[in-house]
Amino acid sequence: MIQYSDDIKEEVRSANDIVDVISQYVTLKRSGRNYFGLCPFHSEKSPSFSVSPDRQYFHCFGCHKGGDVFTFVSEIERISFKEALEMLAEKARIELPTIENSEYSKNTALKSQMYKINIETATFFHERLYKPFAKIAQEYVKKRKLDNRTLKAFKIGYSGEYNELYKHLKTLGFKDEEIIATGLVYKNDRGDYIDRFRKRLMFPIMNTSGKVIAFGGRKLEDNEKIAKYINSNENLVYSKKKNLFALNLAKQSQKENIVLVEGYMDAISLYQRGFDNVVASLGTALTDDQARLLRKYSKQIILSYDSDGAGQDAILRGLTILEKQGCDARVLQMENAKDPDEYVIKYGSGRFQILIDNAISLVEFKIKMAKNKYNLDNANDKINFLKEITQILSSVDNNIEREIYIDKVSKQYGISKEAVYAEVNKGKTYFSSNPEVKPIQKSIKKTKIDSAICKRENLIIYLLINNYQESFKPISQNIKVDDFKSDENKLIYKTIIDSNVNSNEEILQIISNIESQEIQSHVSEILVSDYGIKSVKKGIEDIVNIYEKEHLNERKTEIIKELEKKHTNEELESLGQELNEIIVKLTKIK
Ligand SMILES: [Zn+2]
């Protein structure tokens, strides 16, 4: 009997998007960040079943079932967790280890050798960059104004001339077939082993866990005949459609969005100038897999494509793919520079940040594109423009969002709101958009804990899962495990405090592994609920204050009780002093 490892579970989990899987059983409709539908586990007329694409969890507010994709499949198919995992692995064509299946372990062994070769290669190239013979590469990085910290962060390097890498790898003891498998070396017609990347500036490509999986190489010589950029071919450990350059760094960023650029150099140059939240697509148009990957790390994705390169269609396509995956997709409007690298060097980080802050949504982008076709001083053109934006606006499901756009359009293009409404009223499409689906929150009392306290505790867990970096320290310093009244929250909190994690994803992974249906449905409820947090910092502060106040009040009561007993003068004085301090502290807490 095979016990599947946590790695396998994680691989299968991330290969099966919960929205895709559940959609095969339930009709889901998006509203805001989440999806809603009629619960398949209990009979109902209005939807209380909710799915969070961000957190990959589902929850029913009616019958309180909830959990991750494995829980869903095992519940709906009435199969065990293990069977659910096997079913989902098959769907995603992931080969699970079996006793007979030696191919699996063979591949695993080869993969692990390939990772080793890749990291050795990255180090080899990187060290060469600093050698005297790498003058051409050194001059190039100097010209591109890359500093040493950046060269180190990205492990930028310089490749050899003929088969230096091959020889180096052989001295390290790697086998020919392992080296060939990475694509770093090929065998020519005469049977010689030749390096694929020669005399190029090398950019290692890493996956989200920071393992080197491939390389990109830029030519340095002034030679028209060779390609400007070449990349590793796809292989056992590398798929260009499923990875993004620099995501390993961007996923650690504290910034609230991720900026997607086209070239390695754009990502690197922006990183050096303080934007650690930039990733580059690997020479392909954005794919669904990449969009899904991005959404895992950030809700808001900002496209920053070259002004001349990609063109409107690529932007439109990119935004659409991102929105489909539930991202808040925006596009950055850049003028007077051909790419982000040029822009940030020319105008500085401050100006680039303003561009990020002013990035526009898909709807705004479509309206802008429509606007470019017409001359709004011409009455006929204005009517046609109005018609076109009505079409665009009718695709916006959310009423409030649509109102905001109408407001913006009327201000920006000097068209009266009434005119927009009148046009919109003519087009029936506007009204046929579905009414907003709201989950019905039924209150089923599980334990007799005050609902306000429960909500507050849920919020703590929510903050820890979603904003770990900001919240862990202040919360863990001020809130004790025993402060929790709900058993579920207490256990979850203890699990988080006891574990040694350092990212949102890891927390969620650890919680996902708590084997209790009650905990899982409780977590899912927390994750799909909306707490209306406007500022994370303020939210954390408020919650910490509540507990601090409670602790102080508890101690105050204790002291007052204590004072009634007999004491020496010294004791009385020290208690009195403590009481005073508490009272001062209490008045300071808002
Ligand atoms: Zn239900």
Side-chain angles (χ1 to χ4, degrees):
M1 174 101 160
I2 285 186
Q3 263 308 104
Y4 298 119
S5 68
D6 285 349
D7 282 351
I8 289 276
K9 281 184 204 160
E10 199 40 47
E11 192 180 347
V12 177
R13 194 184 279 130
S14 57
N16 285 278
D17 186 76
I18 195 160
V19 176
D20 294 346
V21 172
I22 295 184
S23 295
Q24 287 158 16
Y25 302 90
V26 180
T27 308
L28 292 175
K29 193 171 162 24
R30 202 171 113 203
S31 174
R33 304 284 322 142
N34 292 339
Y35 288 82
F36 295 96
L38 294 173
C39 178
F41 302 116
H42 85 279
S43 149
E44 62 174 4
K45 291 209 171 61
S46 52
S48 38
F49 181 82
S50 167
V51 185
S52 158
D54 296 331
R55 292 298 161 220
Q56 296 286 307
Y57 257 79
F58 75 96
H59 184 79
C60 172
F61 289 95
C63 66
H64 290 279
K65 276 213 160 69
D68 64 1
V69 69
F70 295 136
T71 319
F72 181 83
V73 171
S74 75
E75 290 272 342
I76 200 137
E77 296 284 349
R78 295 171 190 277
I79 53 180
S80 71
F81 179 89
K82 193 166 164 268
E83 287 164 322
L85 184 132
E86 283 162 356
M87 192 176 141
L88 290 170
E90 197 185 317
K91 250 180 59 160
R93 299 206 183 92
I94 292 171
E95 212 175 334
L96 292 171
T98 60
I99 296 153
E100 319 82 76
N101 157 3
S102 58
E103 190 62 23
Y104 177 86
S105 46
K106 210 179 103 193
N107 268 355
T108 314
L110 179 58
K111 272 191 196 170
S112 116
Q113 286 302 92
M114 288 169 74
Y115 286 127
K116 278 184 204 154
I117 292 173
N118 284 336
I119 185 68
E120 288 296 347
T121 301
T123 309
F124 176 72
F125 288 157
H126 182 62
E127 282 169 358
R128 281 174 55 88
L129 181 65
Y130 297 92
K131 302 266 165 71
F133 55 72
K135 201 150 187 279
I136 186 168
Q138 290 155 8
E139 269 164 11
Y140 181 81
V141 299
K142 204 169 143 196
K143 200 176 90 197
R144 298 305 292 257
K145 302 189 166 63
L146 299 183
D147 64 27
N148 201 34
R149 190 186 69 98
T150 305
L151 297 176
K152 294 249 174 285
F154 288 92
K155 254 183 179 284
I156 294 170
Y158 178 51
S159 54
E161 304 224 346
Y162 181 66
N163 64 356
E164 274 94 341
L165 174 66
Y166 174 73
K167 282 190 284 184
H168 174 70
L169 293 171
K170 287 307 280 182
T171 61
L172 295 174
F174 292 108
K175 298 193 189 105
D176 285 344
E177 69 256 33
E178 294 164 351
I179 299 172
I180 295 284
T182 62
L184 285 163
V185 172
Y186 62 91
K187 202 172 172 179
N188 72 7
D189 298 342
R190 279 179 296 158
D192 300 330
Y193 290 95
I194 319 266
D195 295 354
R196 174 175 166 78
F197 297 98
R198 296 183 304 276
K199 289 199 273 181
R200 284 176 180 266
L201 190 71
M202 298 303 299
F203 306 100
I205 297 162
M206 298 172 205
N207 63 14
T208 48
S209 37
K211 279 187 181 154
V212 179
I213 51 175
F215 291 85
R218 192 202 192 281
K219 80 166 172 190
L220 294 165
E221 293 166 302
D222 216 4
N223 182 346
E224 289 292 318
K225 278 186 224 145
I226 60 172
K228 191 168 159 196
Y229 276 100
I230 57 172
N231 297 313
S232 295
N233 290 325
E234 303 219 335
N235 57 52
L236 214 48
V237 301
Y238 173 58
S239 159
K240 65 177 172 183
K241 291 196 174 79
K242 289 184 178 169
N243 287 283
L244 287 153
F245 179 72
L247 186 57
N248 57 312
L249 298 171
K251 74 170 207 182
Q252 296 168 28
S253 170
Q254 299 285 324
K255 296 210 162 76
E256 60 190 2
N257 40 38
I258 290 182
V259 180
L260 175 63
V261 298
E262 285 180 292
Y264 303 133
M265 277 310 296
D266 294 317
I268 294 167
S269 169
L270 287 169
Y271 176 90
Q272 179 168 306
R273 290 166 180 86
F275 299 94
D276 58 359
N277 56 333
V278 184
V279 302
S281 46
L282 295 154
T284 57
L286 189 72
T287 65
D288 285 330
D289 284 325
Q290 288 170 331
R292 206 172 292 145
L293 198 57
L294 284 168
R295 194 202 56 205
K296 253 178 100 173
Y297 298 107
S298 186
K299 279 177 192 166
Q300 194 180 70
I301 310 298
I302 295 173
L303 285 191
S304 175
Y305 283 176
D306 299 356
S307 54
D308 55 346
Q312 316 254 296
D313 286 345
I315 294 173
L316 206 55
R317 211 182 140 264
L319 289 172
T320 311
I321 287 175
L322 288 165
E323 283 217 335
K324 202 175 92 197
Q325 295 300 337
C327 297
D328 168 7
R330 311 229 171 153
V331 61
L332 190 140
Q333 309 277 291
M334 195 170 59
E335 267 158 29
N336 302 324
K338 68 174 189 314
D339 55 34
D341 177 35
E342 186 188 312
Y343 190 94
V344 76
I345 290 174
K346 218 160 143 184
Y347 301 109
S349 310
R351 291 270 297 271
F352 192 74
Q353 183 60 49
I354 294 172
L355 294 187
I356 293 181
D357 296 340
N358 293 329
I360 59 173
S361 70
L362 176 60
V363 169
E364 288 169 283
F365 182 71
K366 281 184 183 165
I367 293 173
K368 201 180 154 191
M369 270 169 67
K371 152 82 184 38
N372 291 341
K373 287 195 282 186
Y374 302 110
N375 169 15
L376 294 192
D377 293 331
N378 176 310
N380 256 339
D381 268 18
K382 204 161 180 171
I383 291 168
N384 286 330
F385 173 59
L386 211 54
K387 277 186 185 149
E388 207 165 310
I389 55 178
T390 311
Q391 278 284 320
I392 298 167
L393 290 172
S394 66
S395 70
V396 181
D397 275 346
N398 186 303
N399 290 326
I400 303 166
E401 212 179 305
R402 193 169 43 220
E403 280 302 309
I404 294 170
Y405 284 131
I406 292 180
D407 201 50
K408 266 194 181 174
V409 166
S410 70
K411 276 188 192 130
Q412 203 168 353
Y413 302 111
I415 300 170
S416 78
K417 259 184 164 182
E418 289 67 31
V420 181
Y421 282 122
E423 188 58 38
V424 144
N425 285 348
K426 271 196 256 166
K428 292 249 182 334
T429 43
Y430 189 82
F431 288 110
S432 70
S433 73
N434 290 309
E436 227 158 277
V437 191
K438 284 224 175 66
I440 302 148
Q441 188 130 14
K442 288 177 191 154
S443 54
I444 290 178
K445 277 185 196 121
K446 275 190 280 180
T447 34
K448 282 187 199 123
I449 302 163
D450 186 65
S451 70
I453 293 181
C454 217
K455 206 173 163 197
R456 182 170 94 192
E457 293 184 358
N458 289 355
L459 177 58
I460 298 174
I461 308 292
Y462 180 89
L463 285 167
L464 283 169
I465 294 176
N466 288 289
N467 305 86
Y468 176 77
Q469 308 280 8
E470 299 103 299
S471 67
F472 182 75
K473 214 171 148 194
I475 287 180
S476 64
Q477 279 173 354
N478 290 288
I479 304 172
K480 296 172 286 191
V481 173
D482 284 337
D483 285 333
F484 283 84
K485 302 281 186 285
S486 122
D487 292 338
E488 285 99 346
N489 286 332
K490 191 181 268 187
L491 178 74
I492 296 168
Y493 187 65
K494 192 172 182 316
T495 309
I496 295 174
I497 297 286
D498 291 347
S499 65
N500 192 16
V501 294
N502 48 35
S503 70
N504 299 341
E505 288 71 37
E506 280 175 280
I507 288 206
L508 202 55
Q509 223 165 298
I510 279 173
I511 296 175
S512 306
N513 288 339
I514 302 177
E515 285 179 15
S516 148
Q517 185 53 53
E518 265 149 39
I519 295 284
Q520 291 312 325
S521 57
H522 183 68
V523 171
S524 62
E525 179 175 346
I526 292 175
L527 292 175
V528 300
S529 297
D530 185 6
Y531 295 89
I533 303 169
K534 295 218 171 55
S535 147
V536 172
K537 202 175 153 226
K538 181 84 179 18
I540 297 168
E541 212 178 277
D542 287 349
I543 213 116
V544 164
N545 282 346
I546 292 173
Y547 281 89
E548 206 185 344
K549 219 164 157 178
E550 270 187 19
H551 294 153
L552 290 169
N553 275 322
E554 274 165 26
R555 182 65 191 144
K556 193 173 126 190
T557 319
E558 264 174 40
I559 296 176
I560 292 171
K561 247 188 187 164
E562 191 67 20
L563 284 172
E564 288 167 4
K565 295 179 195 160
K566 269 195 143 190
H567 289 287
T568 64
N569 280 344
E570 260 172 44
E571 281 167 347
L572 279 176
E573 197 182 325
S574 109
L575 283 171
Q577 199 181 342
E578 195 185 344
L579 189 61
N580 274 338
E581 278 165 15
I582 288 173
I583 290 165
V584 172
K585 271 188 199 159
L586 277 170
T587 56
K588 275 185 191 159
I589 299 174
K590 279 161 273 164

